[in-house]
Amino acid sequence: MNATIDLLHDQGLARTTTPEIARMAGVSRGALTHHFAGREAIITASVADLLGKSTRDLHRFAEDFVERGGSSDEIVDYIWRMMDDRLFYVTMEYLPEARHNPAFRADLIPLVKEFHAGLDAIWTALAARAGTDPDHTRIVMNATMCLFRGMISQTVLRPNDPAYYEGMQRFWKQQVRQHFPMKPAAAPGARKTATA
């Protein structure tokens, strides 16, 4: 499955063939077809594995975020790193196939829903800390995902311009902060002053 993801990322869906997967994984084609009915099955299982790992990482980040009381900036940074680290490039490879292949799409929809549940866990934790409406929070979450998908798509033709992407990330962090105003934490041992 790792070899399949490597090939999807490095060569694209059209060039990810079962002989190439077997060669890259260091197994015989017979061993590969013994475990997977065909190319579509190995690609679906591999994408499921990739999304499953990303989903588990999202839940771990959410748990850590709740314990530490993290900021919206941290969430934006985390999502950018996650999406830019192969995940969305691989997604760009299989999405066109899912558009035209109902069986493939049906296999992927539950996996994507689980992934979005992981995203939701992070943003819901932020909403709880800021006292923000969860439905509004989901709009901010989805806007962030759409922005980052567009930015990462653009890296295909504009790959060597980190300042360009960093500028957009700074701008977006400012926008997100406005939706999650955090109350300053009370200083330890501070006492309330009585008013007359």
Side-chain angles (χ1 to χ4, degrees):
M1 290 190 285
N2 291 335
T4 303
I5 294 299
D6 288 343
L7 285 166
L8 285 171
H9 179 266
D10 297 344
Q11 298 185 23
L13 182 68
R15 294 178 193 87
T16 301
T17 62
T18 47
E20 268 299 288
I21 294 167
R23 185 191 64 72
M24 185 97 155
V27 298
S28 70
R29 193 167 173 197
L32 184 68
T33 56
H34 175 74
H35 293 286
F36 299 98
R39 177 176 177 262
E40 195 170 294
I42 181 79
I43 289 171
T44 301
S46 302
V47 169
D49 186 60
L50 176 66
L51 286 174
K53 288 174 184 171
S54 298
T55 300
R56 288 188 295 277
D57 289 345
L58 284 167
H59 284 289
R60 276 193 290 271
F61 180 86
E63 289 169 14
D64 179 59
F65 183 88
V66 169
E67 286 177 20
R68 287 184 301 101
S71 69
S72 62
D73 283 11
E74 289 178 60
I75 294 175
V76 172
D77 286 338
Y78 179 83
I79 291 173
W80 174 258
R81 283 192 310 272
M82 175 189 65
M83 295 292 285
D84 191 41
D85 183 28
R86 297 169 29 122
L87 179 63
F88 189 65
Y89 295 103
V90 171
T91 302
M92 286 193 295
E93 293 300 325
Y94 69 73
L95 273 182
E97 178 64 18
R99 181 174 170 236
H100 299 289
N101 183 332
F104 185 57
R105 181 171 60 244
D107 287 341
L108 292 175
I109 285 173
L111 308 170
V112 172
K113 284 183 178 176
E114 286 178 31
F115 174 76
H116 276 271
L119 282 173
D120 195 65
I122 293 173
W123 289 92
T124 301
L126 179 62
R129 281 195 56 228
T132 308
D133 174 58
D135 289 333
H136 178 75
T137 299
R138 287 183 187 95
I139 291 170
V140 177
M141 171 187 82
N142 287 314
T144 301
M145 295 302 290
C146 288
L147 173 69
F148 282 1
R149 286 176 186 124
M151 287 169 62
I152 294 168
S153 295
Q154 201 173 15
T155 64
V156 172
L157 298 177
R158 194 171 181 166
N160 300 316
D161 198 351
Y164 174 73
Y165 300 104
E166 288 163 11
M168 282 192 283
Q169 287 173 59
R170 278 193 307 275
F171 168 79
W172 190 245
K173 285 180 194 176
Q174 290 169 352
Q175 306 310 306
V176 171
R177 268 184 235 128
Q178 295 174 36
H179 297 274
F180 305 99
M182 295 295 177
K183 297 175 184 132
R191 291 179 4 200
K192 292 184 180 176
T193 311
T195 56

